[in-house]
Amino acid sequence: MAGAVDYAAVETDEELLDWSRAYCREVRRTRGVDVRFDLVEWEVSHRAKRRAAALKRPKLPDTTVGEPCDWEALEGADGRPLPCTLSLTREAFDAFDRTEWAATLRHELVHVEQYQRDGTTDHGAAFRERAAQLDTEVHCPAFAEAKHVLTCGDCGELVARRYRDCKLVRERDRYRSGCCGAALERS
Ligand SMILES: [Zn+2]
Ligand SMILES: [Zn+2]
């Protein structure tokens, strides 16, 4: 893995994007996914409740999966696919392990590939076939909401999300927040 950051060391949203971009480039190189990353924008979402990631794209009229879009004829496109945005959900990254996160990115790459070729994308037969080739899921990956959310008792800043009971949750009286050195609150 030629990532700029080690997966286990990812902390900031910027590192999450760096790792994910590097992984997607590797998938393109090793699995022959036909995507143009210069026409993809990336963002991290903190609001998505269930979707691990999503492709935001313009809704173009008269487009069908399986029929290449005539980008030349599309006003404002200059013969190239209009930009799309890959929105990655931070909470999903935190909830998933590396295998699940990588599969999520491959799922989104199928959407990008379809969109950049055909001007639209869905989860139909062509998607199923491509998802199988790329060894990923057909359904948009969902994630569970964190079971425990620990915040700083003084300032309310998020300290940790946990998806199962663990020492930090069970023995939270013994821990202090990094920001204020205050007791942790559970919500
Ligand atoms: Zn999907
Ligand atoms: Zn605090």
Side-chain angles (χ1 to χ4, degrees):
M1 176 69 220
V5 233
D6 186 53
Y7 185 82
V10 169
E11 281 182 13
T12 66
D13 288 354
E14 204 46 53
E15 288 165 348
L16 166 54
L17 290 173
D18 281 351
W19 192 90
S20 301
R21 281 195 205 100
Y23 177 76
C24 286
R25 278 192 211 97
E26 184 183 84
V27 171
R28 178 175 64 176
R29 197 166 59 240
T30 58
R31 308 232 196 182
V33 184
D34 189 15
V35 294
R36 284 187 60 171
F37 288 123
D38 58 325
L39 301 175
V40 177
E41 284 154 23
W42 301 73
E43 67 177 28
V44 175
S45 167
H46 289 265
R47 291 186 307 263
K49 284 280 177 237
R50 298 280 305 151
R51 268 149 64 109
L55 181 69
K56 297 179 178 175
R57 58 190 169 89
K59 298 270 182 280
L60 304 173
D62 305 322
T63 50
T64 309
V65 171
E67 293 175 18
C69 178
D70 186 357
W71 295 106
E72 296 288 346
L74 194 81
E75 195 151 350
D78 282 337
R80 302 177 309 175
L82 291 171
C84 56
T85 300
L86 262 182
S87 180
L88 309 178
T89 305
R90 178 71 210 208
E91 287 74 11
F93 175 82
D94 292 340
F96 285 180
D97 62 20
R98 187 188 184 286
T99 304
E100 293 168 315
W101 186 248
T104 299
L105 294 174
R106 295 197 301 280
H107 175 107
E108 297 307 322
L109 282 177
V110 177
H111 282 310
V112 174
E113 188 179 53
Q114 283 194 336
Y115 164 72
Q116 289 189 344
R117 185 187 58 221
D118 301 338
T120 187
T121 179
D122 62 18
H123 294 111
F127 189 99
R128 283 199 296 278
E129 194 173 310
R130 200 66 178 120
Q133 288 165 359
L134 292 180
D135 190 23
T136 187
E137 305 293 324
V138 173
H139 300 288
C140 278
F143 65 99
E145 283 190 59
K147 196 170 168 194
H148 309 286
V149 177
L150 297 173
T151 54
C152 169
D154 268 8
C155 72
E157 179 156 336
L158 175 70
V159 174
R161 288 191 191 85
R162 290 293 181 270
Y163 295 85
R164 51 192 74 86
D165 295 309
C166 65
K167 198 172 167 210
L168 176 65
V169 174
R170 283 194 308 273
E171 301 178 17
R172 67 181 182 283
D173 295 350
R174 299 177 47 196
Y175 293 86
R176 291 290 174 271
S177 68
C179 45
C180 306
L184 304 186
E185 264 174 28
R186 200 174 135 186
S187 50

